[in-house]
Amino acid sequence: MTNDTWGTVRNELQRTVGQSNFTNWIEPLEFSGLNNGIAEFSVPTNFMGNWVARNFGDQIKHLLNEAGEAVHRLEFAVASKSTPRAPQVKPAPTPAAEPVNDSPVPGAPLDSRFTFDSFVVGKPNELAHAAAKRVAEGGPVSFNPLFLYGGVGLGKTHLMHAIAHELQQDRPDLNVVYLSAEQFMYRFVQALRERKMMDFKELFRSVDVLMVDDVQFIAGKDSTQEEFFHTFNALVDQNKQIIISADRAPGEIKDLEDRIKSRLQCGLVVDLHPTDYELRLGILQQKVEQYRQQYAGLVLADGVLEFLAHRISTNVRVLEGALTRLFAFASLVGREITMELAQDCLADILRASDRKITIEEIQRRVSEHYNIRLSEMIGPRRVRNIARPRQVAMFLSKQLTSRSLPEIGRRFGGRDHTTVMHGVKRIEDLQLHDSQIAEDLELLRRSLEA
Ligand code: ADP
Ligand code: MG
């Protein structure tokens, strides 16, 4: 293989991985040779090599093969210090300046599309958005940490990247680091293995703003938690801003040490609620604006966006994916985007989000949540610690399924519909002034709808 082939593949990658990924990860790679089907590259750091292998390896291999090279494996080796070309890796989101030392604080690349401008604000996310905005102003630290949580695809990562982008722009003096909890662990393990714990500690403790995404990942991973806790404390003590995200509230993360939970709860905890119809429609409209440039001349019939916003209520990622596919398909076949086209082209997505929640599923989840047996849930006993979960399950069955009261009664061990009605009413009343019940309901609903 020649450098030319690699050049062609690089150009291809630039189009497929996006500019910021390209600059951060692909550009610094240097092709050093192809031997026995193994394509060798030199990279500035081990971390980079591993990252590229994991995230872009398959793609690179595929493209090389498409370019006519029989490549079955990639290898990344750290370039020796004498390599003439300076490493160009910019540990996003540190400022564009060259890294000061050989091992800049590792951060994950930022998605250039995830900005505040492209974030649509609605009722379900307005608090999270406001808090993120505040932190992005880079003023005095007012709450530490900012803890953002919510279900999959509701915009946690988007908001964190938006904060990083804004800080990067307005406060280039700050050392802002964004990474996932998984990457944090990965770095930590690597430092242990390479006996570079001191470096690791120093690096992380020299940041001004630390963002750790999907922190639920470190639950159950004891030594990583330990280190995270120390890093966290060291930064808080120095009054450095920390921003954390997770898929649930700190208290709900199983196998997370209590001392970490309580520290996480010390700052501002805000959640991103599931999207509502207006927000989904707003997001779709914004996307369409972008697509209008990309697919000039494409006609979108009235009502299609409303239809999608109604029918795809899972997460924003799915919603965006649906729209992307729809536009690509319509432009490919040169047709107007109508309701029929949408139904055809998105049949699988529409079917999947049609998923019906069953009473059995509700009973099972509720029993698990309250730690009672399923047989007790539908059995005759009326002691409070069984009757209450049963009423919760009845309430959720009424709310989340289309079953009638008599039908629900039948599934709960043949109870009368008036019993169900009473149970539903009881929970309706309770949730207004019993915050524990309200929280239980929210959690159960969220997990059932996930
Ligand atoms: P999470 O990290 O919570 O799982 P992401 O931040 O990755 O979710 O969001 C998933 C996708 O949905 C991204 O493409 C993101 O840009 C988009 N998205 C989520 N919420 C919004 C919003 N309010 N406005 C615009 N795009 C959004
Ligand atoms: Mg995320």
Side-chain angles (χ1 to χ4, degrees), residues 153 155-158 178 213-214 245 317:
K156 302 180 294 293
T157 299
H158 189 135
Y178 163 87
D213 207 350
D214 290 318
S245 86
R317 200 172 293 132

Side-chain angles (χ1 to χ4, degrees), residues 35-170:
N35 292 311
N36 300 328
I38 301 173
E40 291 161 5
F41 295 88
S42 70
V43 285
T45 63
N46 257 328
F47 174 66
M48 251 196 80
N50 288 326
W51 178 277
V52 173
R54 262 204 353 198
N55 293 282
F56 306 111
D58 286 344
Q59 233 179 108
I60 295 177
K61 209 163 62 186
H62 175 76
L63 288 172
L64 285 171
N65 281 295
E66 267 198 344
E69 304 292 340
V71 174
H72 63 260
R73 193 147 63 86
L74 305 178
E75 261 181 25
F76 299 91
V78 176
S80 62
K81 281 266 181 290
S82 61
T83 309
R85 222 166 79 189
Q88 295 168 5
V89 56
K90 294 186 195 105
T94 25
E98 282 299 307
V100 196
N101 52 29
D102 286 345
S103 36
V105 179
L110 297 177
D111 191 316
S112 58
R113 295 166 305 174
F114 292 177
T115 60
F116 281 117
D117 279 346
S118 66
F119 191 82
V120 181
V121 184
K123 262 251 139 39
N125 61 21
E126 62 181 342
L127 258 176
H129 174 261
K133 260 302 213 194
R134 166 69 65 82
V135 169
E137 284 167 9
V141 175
S142 43
F143 31 77
N144 218 2
L146 168 60
F147 189 98
L148 297 170
Y149 77 94
V152 185
L154 296 182
K156 302 180 294 293
T157 299
H158 189 135
L159 277 180
M160 290 178 106
H161 285 210
I163 296 172
H165 282 307
E166 193 145 315
L167 283 171
Q168 204 169 24
Q169 208 170 50
D170 300 347

Side-chain angles (χ1 to χ4, degrees), residues 5 7 9 47 55 65 67-68 114 119 140 160 187 216 221 237 244 255 262 271 273 297 319 355 398 403:
T5 319
V9 168
F47 174 66
N55 293 282
N65 281 295
F114 292 177
F119 191 82
M160 290 178 106
R187 291 288 303 171
Q216 75 276 354
K221 313 211 161 69
D237 286 346
I244 307 278
D255 297 324
S262 61
D271 66 338
H273 294 272
L319 192 65
R355 194 182 79 89
K398 183 76 198 105
R403 304 286 170 193

Side-chain angles (χ1 to χ4, degrees), residues 151 248 274 313-314 352-370 377 389 392-401 412 439-450:
R248 63 199 72 186
S313 56
T314 39
S353 50
D354 242 7
R355 194 182 79 89
K356 297 258 189 314
I357 297 171
T358 63
I359 294 181
E360 286 69 27
E361 212 176 328
I362 294 173
Q363 291 173 330
R364 191 169 49 76
R365 291 286 178 91
V366 175
S367 313
E368 276 168 16
H369 183 85
Y370 290 104
M377 163 87 46
V392 165
M394 287 175 172
F395 172 82
L396 288 170
S397 300
K398 183 76 198 105
Q399 235 193 7
L400 302 177
T401 76
F412 280 82
E439 209 172 284
D440 289 350
L441 287 173
E442 176 63 27
L443 206 73
L444 283 163
R445 202 179 294 129
R446 208 190 277 256
S447 91
L448 281 160
E449 280 172 345

Side-chain angles (χ1 to χ4, degrees), residues 20 94 155 217 271 332 337 349-350 370 397 402:
S20 83
T94 25
F217 180 85
D271 66 338
L332 209 62
I337 300 179
I349 296 178
L350 294 170
Y370 290 104
S397 300
S402 52

